Amino acid sequence: RTPATARSCRSIHPPSATMSAIMEKIASIELELSRTQKNKATSTHIGSLNARLAKLRRELIEPTGKGGPKGEGFDVTKTGDCRVGLVGFPSVGKSTLLNKLTGTFSEVAAYEFTTLTCVPGVIRYRGAKIQLLDLPGIIEGASEGKGRGRQVIAVAKSSDLILMILDATKSEAANSQYAHKEILTRELEAVGLRLNQAPPRIYIKPKHQGGTQINNTVAGGLTKMTESTILKVLAEYKIHHCELLFREDCTVDQLIDALEGNRKYIRCLYVYNKVDVLTIEEVDSLSKRPDSVCISCFLELGYEPLLRRMWDSMGLVRVYTKKTGNKPDFVEPVVLADHRGGCSVKQFCNQISTALAKQLKYAQVWGTSTKHMGQRVGVKHTLQDEDVVQIVKGDKSNPEDLAGRFSTTKRNDPARIADRVKKAKLKS
């Protein structure tokens, strides 16, 4: 090959040396973190290492190179009112749970990695359509691309709720040495997913000059990091002039998440399958853990509590429509949620049509969100579950009739006052 051909091939297929170099840097930083003792004297150094680690992981997930063959992902059309992804290790019962809940066929076998692609299904629950995605099993190192882990986690990022399917026989309650829950949580957090967490209340405003101003509204001040740690982390991101306001007592990891700006905060339920082989005491200890549900796909136990916890975790709100002079339509509700734009009347109108909110005169609401039945509300009114809404549009008026005395819109009036036609005097 000629030198020009070699250069073109390198531009099309970037060498894997860059990826391996990033992996080596990540491994060295993780090794240094494991050897560093955590105390007040080393908090600044640990914060700097965490910031470097976050930047390297971002480069690993989102490579800057433009060339290279495009990987094959899971192209699944989003249908229904919300999406739920099943995440877990191989052979924990994800496909069996999908078959039982949705009636969709997903291959089930006694060997691992039976599911090699994403299999969707739809659940009808309380009038809403919930899309359930059976994803291939992920393994340790999935965030680095092992076992098509990046494609699986990319689909999980687009979900409204994650069901982490765990084997109850390999849990801590069964005195097992496996730590599947911690491994999966670590792999998901490595790619920017934050499970059952709220976004940190940190306000950042970059500036061109003036230095760094750090303020907080926390009673008693910041206790989890010092000002020198904050300045060190900002220096890692080459931010030397900004306004930083903490509205809560945050950690260094939360500050890094706010600076990265690409974190996804998703609700997660930990579903322990195969509880039929455990004792009553072990099942009781698992069910009392936060965000945990115990089921048995073999005996078909715990499906209804699981669906109820899924509904409560997503915070779905059903709103029924009503036409003037007709009965409400209780068959096809409009499903709203706080994490998808809110539950206001404006969001309700946007779900039906984007132009409906501009034509709205007022809305009549029957339900628990109003003080009396049929109350007239505006676009900012917050709706609650099973409310009935009737939209009343405004009259189409002529824009020239609404023009004020000092309006800038051009009308057919004469330019000079002397040219105006005088009105006839009133007859006395």
Side-chain angles (χ1 to χ4, degrees), residues 89-102:
F89 276 83
S91 298
V92 293
K94 300 187 297 296
S95 300
T96 306
L97 181 62
L98 179 76
N99 296 340
K100 297 289 185 180
L101 292 180
T102 65

PDB file of all heavy atoms in Angstrom, residues 89-102:
ATOM      1  N   PHE A  89     -28.073  -9.943  35.116  1.00  0.00           N
ATOM      2  CA  PHE A  89     -27.108 -10.929  34.646  1.00  0.00           C
ATOM      3  C   PHE A  89     -27.823 -12.001  33.825  1.00  0.00           C
ATOM      4  O   PHE A  89     -29.057 -12.118  33.879  1.00  0.00           O
ATOM      5  CB  PHE A  89     -26.391 -11.562  35.838  1.00  0.00           C
ATOM      6  CG  PHE A  89     -25.221 -10.774  36.332  1.00  0.00           C
ATOM      7  CD1 PHE A  89     -25.395  -9.715  37.206  1.00  0.00           C
ATOM      8  CD2 PHE A  89     -23.940 -11.073  35.905  1.00  0.00           C
ATOM      9  CE1 PHE A  89     -24.325  -8.975  37.658  1.00  0.00           C
ATOM     10  CE2 PHE A  89     -22.851 -10.345  36.348  1.00  0.00           C
ATOM     11  CZ  PHE A  89     -23.043  -9.290  37.224  1.00  0.00           C
ATOM     12  N   PRO A  90     -27.102 -12.795  33.060  1.00  0.00           N
ATOM     13  CA  PRO A  90     -27.757 -13.867  32.294  1.00  0.00           C
ATOM     14  C   PRO A  90     -28.407 -14.894  33.214  1.00  0.00           C
ATOM     15  O   PRO A  90     -27.948 -15.165  34.318  1.00  0.00           O
ATOM     16  CB  PRO A  90     -26.592 -14.487  31.492  1.00  0.00           C
ATOM     17  CG  PRO A  90     -25.538 -13.420  31.442  1.00  0.00           C
ATOM     18  CD  PRO A  90     -25.668 -12.657  32.722  1.00  0.00           C
ATOM     19  N   SER A  91     -29.511 -15.466  32.704  1.00  0.00           N
ATOM     20  CA  SER A  91     -30.214 -16.577  33.378  1.00  0.00           C
ATOM     21  C   SER A  91     -30.719 -16.199  34.760  1.00  0.00           C
ATOM     22  O   SER A  91     -30.548 -16.936  35.733  1.00  0.00           O
ATOM     23  CB  SER A  91     -29.296 -17.811  33.476  1.00  0.00           C
ATOM     24  OG  SER A  91     -28.944 -18.267  32.195  1.00  0.00           O
ATOM     25  N   VAL A  92     -31.353 -15.029  34.865  1.00  0.00           N
ATOM     26  CA  VAL A  92     -31.988 -14.643  36.132  1.00  0.00           C
ATOM     27  C   VAL A  92     -33.509 -14.581  36.005  1.00  0.00           C
ATOM     28  O   VAL A  92     -34.192 -14.328  36.997  1.00  0.00           O
ATOM     29  CB  VAL A  92     -31.448 -13.284  36.637  1.00  0.00           C
ATOM     30  CG1 VAL A  92     -29.997 -13.397  37.032  1.00  0.00           C
ATOM     31  CG2 VAL A  92     -31.656 -12.192  35.603  1.00  0.00           C
ATOM     32  N   GLY A  93     -34.049 -14.792  34.790  1.00  0.00           N
ATOM     33  CA  GLY A  93     -35.505 -14.833  34.621  1.00  0.00           C
ATOM     34  C   GLY A  93     -36.092 -13.632  33.920  1.00  0.00           C
ATOM     35  O   GLY A  93     -37.300 -13.406  34.049  1.00  0.00           O
ATOM     36  N   LYS A  94     -35.310 -12.858  33.174  1.00  0.00           N
ATOM     37  CA  LYS A  94     -35.856 -11.682  32.498  1.00  0.00           C
ATOM     38  C   LYS A  94     -36.831 -12.076  31.384  1.00  0.00           C
ATOM     39  O   LYS A  94     -37.915 -11.516  31.277  1.00  0.00           O
ATOM     40  CB  LYS A  94     -34.717 -10.836  31.910  1.00  0.00           C
ATOM     41  CG  LYS A  94     -33.726 -10.316  32.933  1.00  0.00           C
ATOM     42  CD  LYS A  94     -32.723  -9.367  32.323  1.00  0.00           C
ATOM     43  CE  LYS A  94     -31.860 -10.027  31.267  1.00  0.00           C
ATOM     44  NZ  LYS A  94     -31.016 -11.117  31.853  1.00  0.00           N
ATOM     45  N   SER A  95     -36.451 -13.049  30.557  1.00  0.00           N
ATOM     46  CA  SER A  95     -37.323 -13.468  29.457  1.00  0.00           C
ATOM     47  C   SER A  95     -38.590 -14.133  29.974  1.00  0.00           C
ATOM     48  O   SER A  95     -39.678 -13.937  29.420  1.00  0.00           O
ATOM     49  CB  SER A  95     -36.568 -14.425  28.524  1.00  0.00           C
ATOM     50  OG  SER A  95     -35.419 -13.805  27.974  1.00  0.00           O
ATOM     51  N   THR A  96     -38.465 -14.911  31.043  1.00  0.00           N
ATOM     52  CA  THR A  96     -39.656 -15.553  31.617  1.00  0.00           C
ATOM     53  C   THR A  96     -40.619 -14.515  32.167  1.00  0.00           C
ATOM     54  O   THR A  96     -41.846 -14.636  31.988  1.00  0.00           O
ATOM     55  CB  THR A  96     -39.231 -16.516  32.734  1.00  0.00           C
ATOM     56  OG1 THR A  96     -38.254 -17.427  32.235  1.00  0.00           O
ATOM     57  CG2 THR A  96     -40.423 -17.286  33.261  1.00  0.00           C
ATOM     58  N   LEU A  97     -40.106 -13.478  32.812  1.00  0.00           N
ATOM     59  CA  LEU A  97     -40.963 -12.417  33.336  1.00  0.00           C
ATOM     60  C   LEU A  97     -41.664 -11.683  32.207  1.00  0.00           C
ATOM     61  O   LEU A  97     -42.858 -11.346  32.312  1.00  0.00           O
ATOM     62  CB  LEU A  97     -40.121 -11.449  34.176  1.00  0.00           C
ATOM     63  CG  LEU A  97     -40.857 -10.288  34.827  1.00  0.00           C
ATOM     64  CD1 LEU A  97     -41.896 -10.791  35.818  1.00  0.00           C
ATOM     65  CD2 LEU A  97     -39.882  -9.342  35.525  1.00  0.00           C
ATOM     66  N   LEU A  98     -40.956 -11.427  31.093  1.00  0.00           N
ATOM     67  CA  LEU A  98     -41.587 -10.760  29.948  1.00  0.00           C
ATOM     68  C   LEU A  98     -42.692 -11.631  29.362  1.00  0.00           C
ATOM     69  O   LEU A  98     -43.783 -11.122  29.021  1.00  0.00           O
ATOM     70  CB  LEU A  98     -40.528 -10.463  28.883  1.00  0.00           C
ATOM     71  CG  LEU A  98     -41.042  -9.794  27.603  1.00  0.00           C
ATOM     72  CD1 LEU A  98     -41.329  -8.329  27.853  1.00  0.00           C
ATOM     73  CD2 LEU A  98     -40.052  -9.949  26.468  1.00  0.00           C
ATOM     74  N   ASN A  99     -42.460 -12.934  29.234  1.00  0.00           N
ATOM     75  CA  ASN A  99     -43.475 -13.819  28.682  1.00  0.00           C
ATOM     76  C   ASN A  99     -44.716 -13.873  29.563  1.00  0.00           C
ATOM     77  O   ASN A  99     -45.849 -13.915  29.061  1.00  0.00           O
ATOM     78  CB  ASN A  99     -42.895 -15.229  28.507  1.00  0.00           C
ATOM     79  CG  ASN A  99     -41.772 -15.270  27.493  1.00  0.00           C
ATOM     80  OD1 ASN A  99     -41.650 -14.369  26.654  1.00  0.00           O
ATOM     81  ND2 ASN A  99     -40.935 -16.292  27.568  1.00  0.00           N
ATOM     82  N   LYS A 100     -44.519 -13.883  30.882  1.00  0.00           N
ATOM     83  CA  LYS A 100     -45.658 -13.997  31.801  1.00  0.00           C
ATOM     84  C   LYS A 100     -46.484 -12.715  31.844  1.00  0.00           C
ATOM     85  O   LYS A 100     -47.715 -12.762  31.920  1.00  0.00           O
ATOM     86  CB  LYS A 100     -45.157 -14.324  33.204  1.00  0.00           C
ATOM     87  CG  LYS A 100     -44.435 -15.665  33.333  1.00  0.00           C
ATOM     88  CD  LYS A 100     -45.383 -16.834  33.198  1.00  0.00           C
ATOM     89  CE  LYS A 100     -44.645 -18.149  33.444  1.00  0.00           C
ATOM     90  NZ  LYS A 100     -45.545 -19.323  33.321  1.00  0.00           N
ATOM     91  N   LEU A 101     -45.822 -11.559  31.792  1.00  0.00           N
ATOM     92  CA  LEU A 101     -46.542 -10.297  31.952  1.00  0.00           C
ATOM     93  C   LEU A 101     -47.177  -9.804  30.657  1.00  0.00           C
ATOM     94  O   LEU A 101     -48.259  -9.223  30.670  1.00  0.00           O
ATOM     95  CB  LEU A 101     -45.591  -9.218  32.494  1.00  0.00           C
ATOM     96  CG  LEU A 101     -45.089  -9.397  33.922  1.00  0.00           C
ATOM     97  CD1 LEU A 101     -44.159  -8.259  34.311  1.00  0.00           C
ATOM     98  CD2 LEU A 101     -46.246  -9.469  34.906  1.00  0.00           C
ATOM     99  N   THR A 102     -46.505  -9.989  29.525  1.00  0.00           N
ATOM    100  CA  THR A 102     -46.971  -9.404  28.265  1.00  0.00           C
ATOM    101  C   THR A 102     -47.535 -10.428  27.294  1.00  0.00           C
ATOM    102  O   THR A 102     -48.236 -10.039  26.350  1.00  0.00           O
ATOM    103  CB  THR A 102     -45.828  -8.656  27.570  1.00  0.00           C
ATOM    104  OG1 THR A 102     -44.809  -9.588  27.187  1.00  0.00           O
ATOM    105  CG2 THR A 102     -45.225  -7.625  28.508  1.00  0.00           C
TER     106      THR A 102
END
